[in-house]
Amino acid sequence: MSVVPAEVLPGGARAVTETPRAAAAELAPRARLWPSLVAVYRAQLSRARVARIPLLFVATFQSVGILIMMRGVVDGGSEAEAVVAGSAVLVVAFVALNLLAQYFGQLRASGGLDHYATLPVPPAAVVLGAAGAYASFTVPGTLVTAVIGCALFGLPLTHLWVLAAVIPLAGAALSGLGAAFGLLAPRPELATVLGQLGMSAALLLGVLPPDRMPEAVRFARDLLPSTYGVEAFARTFGPHPDWAFVLGDLAVCAAVGVFSLAVATWAYRRAAVR
């Protein structure tokens, strides 16, 4: 029996070198943002559905209680418009700032981010999916608060449809901020404190009429993302709303939402690799 080296065979060297390449498995395509976002949103929605009724009750009861309390102080006019709009957006702030900061803070402390880090989904899909799921539960409470507020202060319900733009845009701006609080805080207790402080700022600066605030407080109010959602909704109560200003406020909300969600995505990547 004779042994012939592979080098002397025609095409032998090429066959040897191509064998590992042919045996290598082809990698699966990277998951796209939109399908990943939908999958995370559905998973988070089913998870948060257990706490839906307490969440809706607490957020709505708080805002309706503020409306009843302010009814004895404010009679009508622009002050009543600010109170009703601020109380409605406060439902969004309660979930987006307070609860979302607690959720991501606990997720980071318990090692839950490691689970998401192993999934073939973009980091933006995790942040946007969780924020969207939590913000979805604010829609009924915001509508109920707005209707009750309009009934208490005698405001028209004609342009209540503008909440279809105010809720997602203000929710995006506040959700990104709440998620960043939870992901950047070194401890979950600190994330809870930051979320509650943010919600308190939305309460004090968003519900109280701005005409009665000092100049320094007005400046702080302008820095709060939810302020522009409140202003956009409050402008629609007049007999002839200036839609250019309404669209301008909504555009600011959208810009702040993109920025805050980008910061939250960066915070997620930073927390997931540590």
Side-chain angles (χ1 to χ4, degrees):
M1 179 183 296
S2 61
V3 178
V4 181
E7 288 80 0
V8 302
L9 295 176
R14 185 175 61 184
V16 172
T17 56
E18 286 184 356
T19 301
R21 188 179 304 173
E26 213 175 291
L27 295 177
R30 186 179 179 182
R32 291 177 296 174
L33 176 61
W34 181 250
S36 302
L37 173 60
V38 173
V40 175
Y41 173 80
R42 289 178 177 176
Q44 290 292 334
L45 196 65
S46 61
R47 177 188 176 278
R49 193 173 297 169
V50 179
R52 177 177 56 184
I53 295 178
L55 174 64
L56 291 176
F57 177 79
V58 172
T60 308
F61 181 79
Q62 174 183 252
S63 294
V64 171
I66 292 172
L67 285 173
I68 296 174
M69 179 184 65
M70 294 299 294
R71 184 62 182 88
V73 180
V74 177
D75 293 330
S78 60
E79 295 181 346
E81 296 171 359
V83 170
V84 174
S87 299
V89 177
L90 183 62
V91 180
V92 181
F94 176 82
V95 176
L97 284 174
N98 191 15
L99 296 184
L100 207 57
Q102 293 182 29
Y103 170 72
F104 276 106
Q106 294 174 357
L107 196 68
R108 180 186 178 188
S110 62
L113 291 181
D114 298 336
H115 167 70
Y116 284 104
T118 59
L119 298 178
V121 295
V126 178
V127 175
L128 292 175
Y134 274 78
S136 297
F137 292 112
T138 66
V139 176
T142 304
L143 292 175
V144 169
T145 302
V147 171
I148 293 177
C150 291
L152 284 175
F153 290 93
L155 298 177
L157 299 172
T158 309
H159 303 297
L160 204 64
W161 54 265
V162 79
L163 286 175
V166 171
I167 294 175
L169 294 179
L174 295 173
S175 295
L177 192 59
F181 284 162
L183 292 168
L184 294 177
R187 300 177 59 185
E189 295 83 3
L190 183 58
T192 301
V193 171
L194 290 175
Q196 290 178 349
L197 288 176
M199 190 198 65
S200 299
L203 167 62
L204 297 175
L205 301 178
V207 175
L208 298 179
D211 297 337
R212 300 186 180 184
M213 295 181 179
E215 192 65 29
V217 179
R218 289 184 189 178
F219 177 75
R221 182 176 182 269
D222 292 337
L223 297 178
L224 192 67
S226 60
T227 298
Y228 301 95
V230 174
E231 291 290 340
F233 185 32
R235 294 181 192 275
T236 61
F237 289 125
H240 303 288
D242 193 334
W243 294 108
F245 281 99
V246 174
L247 292 177
D249 290 328
L250 293 177
V252 173
C253 261
V256 175
V258 171
F259 176 75
S260 63
L261 289 172
V263 172
T265 302
W266 169 82
Y268 169 80
R269 289 176 177 170
R270 178 176 177 270
V273 298
R274 294 184 65 179

